[in-house]
Amino acid sequence: MIVTVNPNTKKILLTSIPRDYYVTLANMKKKDKLTHSGIAGPENTVKTMAQFLGTDINYYARVNFTSLVTMVDALGGITVNVDRDFSAGGYTYKLGLQQMNGKEALAYSRERHSFADGDNVRVKHQQDVLMAMLNKMMSPAVITNYSSVLKAISGCFETNMSSDNITDLIQMQVNDMAQWTFTQKQFTGHGVMQTGGAYMPNTKLYYMIPDDSSVSENIAAIKAVLNGQTVE
């Protein structure tokens, strides 16, 4: 997921990219599914996506399932706007605003088998969870007590953003308590079974071939947010 943040306009764009997207890997100089870029580390994924988007990516953060649970619980839970009724992981979700703890948020963001358009719905739910976490983080009750929250989630995520940068961003929010506008988008494409991927060239695997119009639309949206313009 690419998170584009403009602190001046207070706009955040969440753009999800399918893990099987067929892109040129920065280290291999050949195409493969995006998720294989991580074989060479998160820096390679960042470089791969920066080249694909034609824009700099300043920072990255990587979390795992356990980290998500810990982070949501450290926030005291989150409120997610559930978009449909379904059950997953032993939990039941109902249309509308719903309070979730870490395990509930993880199950919500992982489920795809309950939906006809499984992967796209899962991507949407992952964005919903991240948006709920950001909103909770920026709430007065949490952000004014940010040091204890940061201590609770210490070691939960891997990032190249310095602690000073993180503190500066938090302090900016503490000072102005501004309201942020969120926009959600995702790259689309069509799935194929084919051989020729950089890492497993002789094995037939599933790939998602990018839709050119979707790529153009999403790149334009990212650049619009960076330039302080309106996103369609």
Side-chain angles (χ1 to χ4, degrees), residues 189-193 206-209:
H190 65 278
V192 298
M193 295 293 298
Y206 175 86
Y207 300 93
M208 181 171 284
I209 307 302

Side-chain angles (χ1 to χ4, degrees), residues 3-63:
V3 182
T4 309
V5 182
N6 189 322
N8 296 319
T9 61
K10 306 300 180 184
K11 294 184 184 299
I12 296 176
L13 171 64
L14 307 178
T15 309
S16 288
I17 305 169
R19 62 184 181 180
D20 294 318
Y21 232 39
Y22 197 53
V23 298
T24 300
L25 304 188
N27 63 322
M28 302 288 282
K29 305 296 189 292
K30 294 181 179 179
K31 289 194 173 185
D32 205 328
K33 56 177 67 187
L34 173 60
T35 189
H36 286 174
S37 67
I39 293 172
E43 293 86 357
N44 188 56
T45 300
V46 171
K47 191 172 181 181
T48 296
M49 287 316 307
Q51 291 175 356
F52 180 71
L53 299 173
T55 188
D56 291 335
I57 296 177
N58 305 99
Y59 307 107
Y60 72 81
R62 181 167 68 170
V63 300

Side-chain angles (χ1 to χ4, degrees), residues 83-84 111 115-126 186:
D83 60 358
R84 67 197 71 201
E111 180 59 24
F115 321 114
D117 195 12
D119 279 330
N120 286 329
V121 175
R122 178 171 60 179
V123 163
K124 169 68 164 54
H125 288 176
Q126 290 170 353
Q186 60 180 288

Side-chain angles (χ1 to χ4, degrees), residues 114-165:
S114 298
F115 321 114
D117 195 12
D119 279 330
N120 286 329
V121 175
R122 178 171 60 179
V123 163
K124 169 68 164 54
H125 288 176
Q126 290 170 353
Q127 291 185 350
D128 291 343
V129 166
L130 178 56
M131 188 163 58
M133 291 174 68
L134 290 171
N135 275 322
K136 185 65 177 285
M137 288 176 186
M138 292 186 288
S139 65
V142 173
I143 202 162
T144 53
N145 193 32
Y146 69 86
S147 59
S148 63
V149 175
L150 288 178
K151 184 177 180 180
I153 65 174
S154 176
C156 281
F157 58 94
E158 177 184 346
T159 182
N160 63 340
M161 179 179 281
S162 70
S163 57
D164 286 344
N165 288 150

Side-chain angles (χ1 to χ4, degrees), residues 68-203:
L68 178 65
V69 172
T70 302
M71 292 169 73
V72 171
D73 286 343
L75 291 170
I78 56 175
T79 302
V80 179
N81 191 7
V82 177
D83 60 358
R84 67 197 71 201
D85 295 347
F86 70 97
S87 296
Y91 304 106
T92 298
Y93 304 95
K94 295 291 185 181
L95 180 68
L97 296 176
Q98 184 167 335
Q99 182 75 7
M100 297 184 193
N101 62 26
K103 290 183 177 179
E104 290 167 332
L106 176 61
Y108 182 82
S109 59
R110 290 190 67 194
E111 180 59 24
R112 63 186 175 94
H113 297 294
S114 298
F115 321 114
D117 195 12
D119 279 330
N120 286 329
V121 175
R122 178 171 60 179
V123 163
K124 169 68 164 54
H125 288 176
Q126 290 170 353
Q127 291 185 350
D128 291 343
V129 166
L130 178 56
M131 188 163 58
M133 291 174 68
L134 290 171
N135 275 322
K136 185 65 177 285
M137 288 176 186
M138 292 186 288
S139 65
V142 173
I143 202 162
T144 53
N145 193 32
Y146 69 86
S147 59
S148 63
V149 175
L150 288 178
K151 184 177 180 180
I153 65 174
S154 176
C156 281
F157 58 94
E158 177 184 346
T159 182
N160 63 340
M161 179 179 281
S162 70
S163 57
D164 286 344
N165 288 150
I166 293 173
T167 303
D168 286 345
L169 283 172
I170 293 173
Q171 195 59 55
M172 177 191 70
Q173 185 65 22
V174 170
N175 290 340
D176 63 21
M177 296 306 293
Q179 293 294 312
W180 291 71
T181 301
F182 290 85
T183 305
Q184 296 171 267
K185 297 181 74 68
Q186 60 180 288
F187 286 80
T188 60
H190 65 278
V192 298
M193 295 293 298
Q194 65 181 29
T195 58
Y199 274 103
M200 303 174 68
N202 299 317
T203 303

